[in-house]
Amino acid sequence: MTTAMPSAPAARRVPEPIHRRRWAILTVLLFSLLVVVLDSSILNVAMKTIATPAPVGIGASQSQLEWAVNSYTLVFAGLLFTAGLLGDRIGRKKTLLAGMVIFGLGSLLCSFATSPGELIAYRAAMGLGGAFVMPATLAIIMNVFEREEQPRAIGIYSGAVGLAIAIGPVVGGLLLSHFWWGSVFLVNVPIVVVALIGMVWLVPDSRDPKPGRLDPVGVLLSILGLVLLVYGIIQGGQDADFTVTSAWAPIAGGLLLLVVFVWHQQRTAHPVLTVGWFRDRHFSAAVVSIGLTFFALMGVTFFSVFYLQSVRGYSALHAGLLLLPLAGAQLLVSPRARHAVTRFGANVTVGVGLLLIAVTFAGYLLLGRTTSIWVLEVLGFVQGSGMALVMPPATVTIMSSLPREKAGSGSAVSNTFRQVGGSLGVAILGALLSTVYRNGIQDRLGTLPAPLRSTAGQSIEGTLGVVERVGGGAAGLVGPAKDAFVHSMHVTALSAGVVALAGAVIALALLPRRAPRAEEPARTRAPGQAPVQAPGHASAPAEQPVTRLEALVPEPAPETAE
């Protein structure tokens, strides 16, 4: 009888000094994530104050307020991929530090802006900084954690995203109740300073050891294509009409440039994007799942704010507090999603998550003008749980499909699809919401003076604003306006649910199934192809062919040693 000898411990890819401080590194990186995501959600609370004339605000018009948001989105989405590429080439720590410095300076300038034009320009600078922060953060996480710990780390990362989204309105409401409107930007500065100190001290640098020559044509095509696409989406959402030239022309131009970009990448000797990644169905399905999730999520979040404040009458602070169950669910479930993946597979885990999101959107049909608020709280918790089952496994699937040295580019692809999906959700579902609302309220506007009917018919905020200005008999419009909005919310939520349902079908069909047992042979791959591993499962080292090991050296080793 022979006794099986214990297998030798797996060789560690991450250097021991970095491995020992990996959780401290993750904590520092979460500060960068927190400040970027928190800023996006905190700004919405300050909109009314910023629109107020000086000295309370800066007297920004509705269009200027929209561009204070959109200038950030446009720069952020347009440069995400390029920023990830540069991180792979020159070092992710360098691009992360540069992005944080730019973001912090932009926040400081925004807090003391004296005109809407200044605010828009400084917000664009913040978008530039954010574009360099997001890809580098996830790429560094993939390079400081061993493969078996990556799902847990990304689960914590995803939970922090949900927390930042939910607490943004709460923090914004608290700041505005005690300080001036610029405090919602100034709060970023101390967070950035603390994060920078921790990054310089703890975070190691990493980069692609063989990046090849830079392809300037590819970089330019990707930037112009994404900027035009997102600009057209924004314009279509603002006008609630994608048939106007200012919307469809940039969208068509952006898509054309992106097609040319893909064609060029397939033929150049040094592509900035390996188009072959998308031939891997696991990679493509994960990217699409993230895009569809944020399409549905951001569109519904857009109308949830108006439902809580305009229909139910909650303050900005109370509305923010009502979103905390969504954040709590993500904090509880995200770090544990890896266990579901190990048992059921990424396809079932992500598919069930998207089904929960679809069920939540269907649950919005239960919400009316006087529905008990606990119904919304339950829906928020279910929605947060669904997101927590989608984001960590999908992100791990994307990143595990690529070699470590391409982590920056992979992270950029994931973030780009998330940003474009979210922008499309706000624009398309927002346009649907506006159209259905306009059709529902149009016949009731005859009591208003003719010059005010167009403004009153654009949104529930427009209607209530006109009623407040006119007074008298116009007060009879408040009830019908709220009813029309609730109906438009139901239609929009159902549409978002259909999108989430489509994402669930894609995830169930195409994402990795349950991870194979350790004794099962790994799937054979073509030479040079990056290994695809089911998230949450650590295979034996011999079953993980690697094209190139990442050059990862703890600071302050010289760059040439990488």
Side-chain angles (χ1 to χ4, degrees), residues 58-69:
I58 54 176
S61 66
Q62 181 63 33
S63 175
Q64 289 168 332
L65 288 174
E66 290 171 352
W67 275 108
V69 175

Side-chain angles (χ1 to χ4, degrees), residues 77-157:
L79 293 178
L80 262 175
F81 180 73
T82 300
L85 172 70
L86 289 176
D88 284 344
R89 296 181 67 87
I90 67 175
R92 291 145 196 155
K93 180 177 181 177
K94 296 180 183 65
T95 57
L96 176 61
L97 291 173
M100 289 295 287
V101 169
I102 295 171
F103 191 90
L105 289 175
S107 298
L108 183 63
L109 292 171
C110 280
S111 66
F112 294 104
T114 58
S115 69
E118 288 183 7
L119 180 62
I120 292 169
Y122 299 149
R123 285 285 295 166
M126 292 177 66
L128 173 63
F132 280 89
V133 169
M134 292 300 285
T137 302
L138 184 55
I140 292 171
I141 290 174
M142 296 301 294
N143 277 280
V144 300
F145 283 91
E146 297 291 350
R147 192 173 288 271
E148 65 271 14
E149 287 188 321
Q150 289 170 0
R152 183 182 178 191
I154 290 179
I156 296 171
Y157 171 93

